[in-house]
Amino acid sequence: MAAAHTPRESAHAAAQGVRQALGGSFAAISKWERELGKLRVLVNLGELAEGEEEFPEDESYPVHEFPEIVGFLHEQWAGGGEPSAWVETAETDPVPHGPGDGGPYNHQRVAALRRRGRGCCVVAPIVLHGRAWGELYVARRTGEPVFDRADADFASVLAAVTAAGIAQTERLAEARRLAFTDALTGLANRRAVDMRLDEALEQHRCGDVVVSLVVCDLNGLKRVNDSRGHAVGDRLLERFGSVLSLCGAMLPGTLAARLGGDEFCLLAVGPPADEVVKVAGELCDRAGELDLGEGVAVGVASTGDPIGPVRSGRRLFRLADAAQYKAKAAGSGEPVVAGRHGGKDDPVVRLADAPDRRPGPERRRFRR
């Protein structure tokens, strides 16, 4: 679990480990989705019965069918007790889960054991941050030794280890989200764009996939900040971010990002250059309709246009930034596209390559 990068990988590692540790033929990890009142299966591992999938799309069970989740699991340790596992068999009498207790017998689960050819199972609550997060479930085939009290105690320990692994995965996922997300708009940030652009250009080199970059400079942000305050300026940034996200959704697989300050971009991988330019035009129109700001200056650079070889993300950024600079200088309400007015002699291409005017990420000035 320590090596897992995603919740799915973490759940798979946990199920694999507990199945081997408890000598089961099957294991599953499920999560309690409180807002939906469901126990959703994340992973099934081992000998799968008919209808079971390793990573089910929508295998879930109403929590009211498992009263031990909302009753036994929660109430037993909410006041300071420790959650413990229990054993159920395909027979009518459950194995006690604790001294003097009769066990939280569940006829739905017992029926499922019989239907799937399993003789017994051990179930342990997974507790995270003091609350029931889900459950660990391990089963054995019919005819194999039934889990005993020692197995149930061991399952409780394994559930605690699983909970620690899940907590670590969630922390890492949150750290990744923060590392690649702009806090104000919720869009991707510059780091995310750079990584995706490197991957996209590798696809372009290997398979001639079209890679397009739309760079946007939001007009009027400084005026709004100076005259109405930064809170209103932030609202303008958020509103434009929503417009950008909406337009980006018109191109499948497009990444919408805030580069910093008043600069944004769309990174499209796959769609033809003409489709990207059309969406860029739509972006200009929608930005002009915002009640704050003064529209947007938009530049487009695409490997689908005659802009010369693009071997690095830096060059594509320079071309798109030069086109955006042209749009801003001309007060254009439409996107300026690199390479569409003379190929290598295109004014934008020449501007991007000129030593005295070097648009691009290394010279960009972010403004608030």
Side-chain angles (χ1 to χ4, degrees), residues 307-319:
I307 57 175
V310 177
R311 298 186 179 88
S312 69
R314 181 170 175 266
R315 172 151 179 82
L316 198 63
F317 254 116
R318 285 165 62 88
L319 288 162

Side-chain angles (χ1 to χ4, degrees), residues 19 34 54 95 129 137 169 193 254 272 364-365:
R19 184 177 72 86
R34 293 170 181 266
E54 184 174 5
V95 176
H129 310 307
Y137 175 101
T169 303
V193 174
T254 292
R364 185 168 283 114
R365 295 291 183 266

